[in-house]
Amino acid sequence: MAAVVTRDIVKTFGEVPAVNGISLNVPNGEFMVLLGPSGCGKTTFLRIICGLERQTSGDLLIGGDLVNDMPPRARGVAMMFQSYGLYPHFTVRNNIAFPLKTQGIPGAEISKKVEWASQLLGIGHLLDRRPRQLSGGERQRVALARALVRQPTALLLDEPLSNLDAKLRTSARQEIKQFQQRVGVTTIYVTHDQVEAMGMGDRIAVIDRGQVRQVGTPSEIYNDPADRFVATFVGAPPMNIVARNGGYLGFRPENFLPKDMVKDMVKDAAFTEFQFRVDRSEYLGSERIVYGVLEGFDTNEVVTAKLPPVHVAEAWIRPGEWHPFAVRDAALRHFGNDGKRTSRH
Amino acid sequence: MRRSSLVGVLQETSFYGAVAFFFVLAAFPFYWMLITSFKTNADLYNVNVTPFWFHDPPTLEHFRYLFDKTLFATWLLNSLIIGVCVTAITLVTALPAAYSLARMTGRNGEALGIGIFLTYLVPPTLLFLPLSRVIVDLGLQNSLWSLVVVYPTFTIPFCTWLLMGFFKALPVEIEEAAIVDGCSLFGAFVKMAIPLSLPGILTVVIFTFTLTLQEFVYALTFISAADQKPITLGVATDLVRGDVFFWGEIMAGALIASVPVAIAYNLFLDRFIGGITGGAVK
């Protein structure tokens, strides 16, 4: 296990920059999530770390050693691919043993380690099967066992849950996180799914167009977004952004509530009031999402409110009606014209 | 109701009629070869009887003649040596060429692959002139080894193009996983790409072997010594004397040469079809 440090990594394909100067410090044992939209360069960055791509410029250090010119096999990192990349002509046992065989480890030790990894992931009964005979969840565990069996310096995961159905994804998320905590391996996890990022990461690096927009804990990313991109990329529905006084005002849909509710909640604290015209509402069971516009603001700026349905009856919010809504001042975020945060509140 | 059943019967009849037509078209030459090789000469040249079946009891006299009075066993062995050597040379060359064109050259690889394939389309009747100079320079004239040198010129381009399709169809993650797991690029090629392309490799083996077995123009050009001839040339030149065709012996020779290939095709038919289509659409 080792820390992974990148310094100003740039990667261009022809004229097109895929990674545009990423500097990141992942301390030993941390679970770092790289979050960003498709095509933002996060997978390319991961492939640079494991050595499958060579960066155009910048330095990469693993465990304090400069590994720019080292081939993948010498870096000691393990990677789990989106499609798992299991070897279809090998049994599960041979799949897990493969990284050890290439290192020339003696047979008896290989058996012991394969046993350890398969027990750890609960796949001991699958060792003599081939990948095509396994379910999606089982394949994912085999891929994880193969990645971990040689106790890598860092574990790199490239959207490993995207091939699983929604239900399995929730349990697999839990398993990977618990497993990482138990083994304590430095992990870099790439995803475009903010739920995975928020639920699993010790820290999240939000990436857009090959650049890191913000690095922070899930709560920092959610509550104190560094810019408008992070504010609108993280959160479902995303943060409301409306233009005001030459800048932008942002507030989360769950903080945009009927004025009376806000009054009851905040007691003496300050709040900002808005007149909200309801255009449409969606009942989602645990919450009600209401879409509309604010009086005095651009009518193209759709504003969303996330309301607790037990407190807000459907009869109360009919399309076309105007209602007094409010946001606690502490929950308001201000952004400048360039999209960056201008103040904490 | 009666009308629709009539249409059904007509459809069935035309379907099976078409199948029967193509079956006869494909199988008749083989059948003709089979019965001719077992007919006595008297039966074979009797124009007063229907030629499609035996009128004398079947005989092995043509096979005996082939093995006792001609160098047929030598020709068979020569064809086998040429086939095995050319297949080996083709695999050793086409596998790495196809892999690098499929994986490492980006879009240029596709154009290069098509360029290489185009050389396959140059007819041997044009190429044997320059190639004969090469064979003379190598001192291989009138030797079966001249064919071992010449045949790869048309097997390698086609097989490279065929294998390219196979390698492209393989998920690249498998090789990348092997590289991260400790293999070199060559190690990943040998341990992952080759075993997973086995249907393609099998296709190449069958295709190459069949091509070498049926090739005639280069063999006729470069070889005249009877003991150096492959089976196609030996049968065609030594069993046709002037205007006398030894039809029974010619067909017996053709039968012996074609049966092993027919068995190999049938054993690996599914993989072979997978090989041809896999290479074609990817």
Side-chain angles (χ1 to χ4, degrees):
Chain A
M1 283 163 276
V4 177
V5 178
T6 69
R7 288 183 196 142
D8 207 17
I9 297 277
V10 174
K11 173 73 186 175
T12 53
F13 293 103
E15 296 288 298
V16 185
V19 176
N20 207 353
I22 293 185
S23 297
L24 205 60
N25 189 354
V26 187
N28 194 2
E30 186 178 62
F31 196 118
M32 167 68 83
V33 177
L34 307 182
L35 174 68
S38 297
C40 73
K42 54 193 190 301
T43 296
T44 307
F45 181 60
L46 201 71
R47 289 168 63 83
I48 290 170
I49 296 175
C50 78
L52 289 171
E53 300 279 356
R54 176 79 163 88
Q55 68 267 36
T56 311
S57 65
D59 288 331
L60 172 65
L61 292 94
I62 297 175
D65 299 324
L66 191 69
V67 297
N68 288 351
D69 299 316
M70 276 191 193
R73 60 180 181 278
R75 298 187 182 195
V77 296
M79 179 147 166
M80 187 169 153
F81 292 84
Q82 193 169 359
S83 59
Y84 309 140
L86 294 178
Y87 310 130
H89 54 310
F90 288 175
T91 58
V92 168
R93 185 189 305 280
N94 287 335
N95 261 281
I96 301 174
F98 188 76
L100 304 173
K101 284 182 183 165
T102 56
Q103 288 181 323
I105 291 172
E109 204 179 325
I110 288 179
S111 305
K112 222 185 287 173
K113 287 195 169 183
V114 169
E115 193 71 18
W116 167 78
S118 58
Q119 292 304 324
L120 200 66
L121 284 146
I123 49 169
H125 59 295
L126 304 173
L127 287 177
D128 294 317
R129 293 201 200 162
R130 288 191 190 269
R132 66 171 178 273
Q133 298 168 303
L134 306 178
S135 69
E138 288 167 341
R139 284 179 198 178
Q140 186 231 337
R141 285 188 209 173
V142 173
L144 202 53
R146 186 181 68 184
L148 286 156
V149 72
R150 62 185 163 135
Q151 288 154 309
T153 51
L155 175 62
L156 313 176
L157 303 148
D158 183 11
E159 309 215 19
L161 306 185
S162 58
N163 288 339
L164 304 181
D165 62 55
K167 201 175 166 190
L168 203 56
R169 209 178 298 166
T170 311
S171 60
R173 207 160 62 206
Q174 189 80 357
E175 274 177 25
I176 290 180
K177 178 68 185 166
Q178 283 177 351
F179 180 78
Q180 191 270 343
Q181 283 172 336
R182 211 179 323 152
V183 182
V185 61
T186 310
T187 303
I188 302 178
Y189 184 106
V190 159
T191 183
H192 64 270
D193 183 337
Q194 50 167 306
V195 180
E196 277 175 29
M198 298 292 282
M200 298 172 83
D202 293 332
R203 283 195 304 155
I204 299 171
V206 183
I207 297 176
D208 180 42
R209 291 182 216 167
Q211 287 180 318
V212 173
R213 291 303 193 99
Q214 185 175 5
V215 182
T217 62
S219 115
E220 283 168 355
I221 296 284
Y222 190 77
N223 294 317
D224 289 312
D227 58 25
R228 280 174 57 196
F229 174 81
V230 178
T232 50
F233 188 73
V234 178
M239 183 180 270
N240 293 306
I241 303 281
V242 289
R244 191 168 79 170
N245 299 339
Y248 293 93
L249 190 65
F251 46 91
R252 292 275 173 206
E254 63 271 25
N255 295 325
F256 184 57
L257 296 167
K259 186 180 158 190
D260 295 342
M261 278 177 74
V262 177
K263 251 180 168 173
D264 291 346
M265 277 164 60
V266 300
K267 308 283 189 239
D268 299 327
F271 59 86
T272 303
E273 196 179 328
F274 301 93
Q275 281 298 313
F276 179 54
R277 191 192 73 205
V278 175
D279 286 342
R280 186 164 60 91
S281 100
E282 288 171 355
Y283 174 70
L284 301 178
S286 62
E287 64 208 23
R288 185 186 299 282
I289 311 291
V290 185
Y291 303 88
V293 291
L294 299 181
E295 190 182 48
F297 289 88
D298 186 350
T299 50
N300 289 325
E301 291 172 333
V302 176
V303 170
T304 319
K306 193 193 269 186
L307 308 176
V310 285
H311 292 111
V312 184
E314 193 172 1
W316 189 77
I317 36 161
R318 288 203 188 86
E321 290 178 350
W322 288 92
H323 289 279
F325 268 61
V327 183
R328 286 174 295 123
D329 284 356
L332 287 172
R333 301 287 177 263
H334 301 270
F335 301 95
N337 240 343
D338 58 353
K340 302 255 186 256
R341 273 286 290 282
T342 52
S343 68
R344 289 194 62 80
H345 296 301
Chain B
M1 190 70 187
R2 281 177 60 191
R3 190 186 162 85
S4 67
S5 68
L6 189 70
V7 170
V9 168
L10 272 175
Q11 277 180 339
E12 290 264 301
T13 313
S14 50
F15 172 73
Y16 284 107
V19 170
F21 172 74
F22 285 109
F23 173 76
V24 170
L25 203 68
F28 184 74
F30 197 85
Y31 170 75
W32 194 252
M33 172 175 75
L34 187 73
I35 57 163
T36 307
S37 62
F38 287 103
K39 275 185 178 179
T40 59
N41 277 333
D43 190 3
L44 197 56
Y45 297 115
N46 185 352
V47 291
N48 298 318
V49 291
T50 39
F52 301 115
W53 189 238
F54 293 98
H55 300 283
D56 287 344
T59 176
L60 289 173
E61 66 176 272
H62 305 307
F63 292 89
R64 272 195 293 272
Y65 183 89
L66 268 184
F67 285 100
D68 294 343
K69 306 269 173 61
T70 70
L71 291 171
F72 186 76
T74 310
W75 302 334
L76 206 58
L77 185 69
N78 288 349
S79 279
L80 192 70
I81 292 169
I82 294 166
V84 169
C85 290
V86 172
T87 306
I89 292 169
T90 305
L91 279 179
V92 167
T93 317
L95 274 170
Y99 183 74
S100 22
L101 285 169
R103 284 282 191 256
M104 280 169 262
T105 44
R107 282 183 189 170
N108 300 333
E110 187 80 17
L112 266 171
I114 292 170
I116 290 172
F117 176 70
L118 286 178
T119 63
Y120 171 74
L121 303 178
V122 181
T125 39
L126 283 181
L127 277 181
F128 80 81
L129 290 168
L131 279 173
S132 61
R133 285 300 300 270
V134 176
I135 294 305
V136 170
D137 287 349
L138 291 172
L140 293 176
Q141 63 270 42
N142 214 6
S143 155
L144 67 91
W145 298 108
S146 62
L147 302 183
V148 173
V149 172
V150 167
Y151 286 171
T153 60
F154 59 82
T155 58
I156 289 171
F158 183 80
C159 295
T160 302
W161 180 78
L162 192 76
L163 286 168
M164 258 177 83
F166 265 91
F167 289 130
K168 277 188 182 163
L170 286 183
V172 71
E173 286 89 352
I174 295 174
E175 292 138 63
E176 289 185 341
I179 289 170
V180 176
D181 281 345
C183 281
S184 60
L185 182 63
F186 184 72
F189 167 63
V190 171
K191 288 176 183 161
M192 299 297 150
I194 288 185
L196 291 173
S197 312
L198 215 56
I201 293 169
L202 210 61
T203 307
V204 163
V205 168
I206 293 178
F207 176 81
T208 308
F209 202 83
T210 313
L211 267 188
T212 61
L213 206 62
Q214 71 184 30
E215 205 285 328
F216 187 76
V217 173
Y218 287 134
L220 184 67
T221 313
F222 298 129
I223 295 176
S224 53
D227 65 339
Q228 294 292 307
K229 287 176 181 175
I231 197 161
T232 40
L233 186 64
V235 166
T237 55
D238 288 32
L239 294 173
V240 180
R241 293 173 197 163
D243 57 353
V244 181
F245 286 71
F246 288 65
W247 282 118
E249 286 75 12
I250 290 172
M251 291 302 167
L255 183 72
I256 291 170
S258 60
V259 162
V261 179
I263 291 172
Y265 264 84
N266 278 291
L267 278 180
F268 302 115
L269 189 66
D270 290 342
R271 285 191 166 200
F272 186 69
I273 291 169
I276 292 287
T277 52
V281 297
K282 296 282 178 185

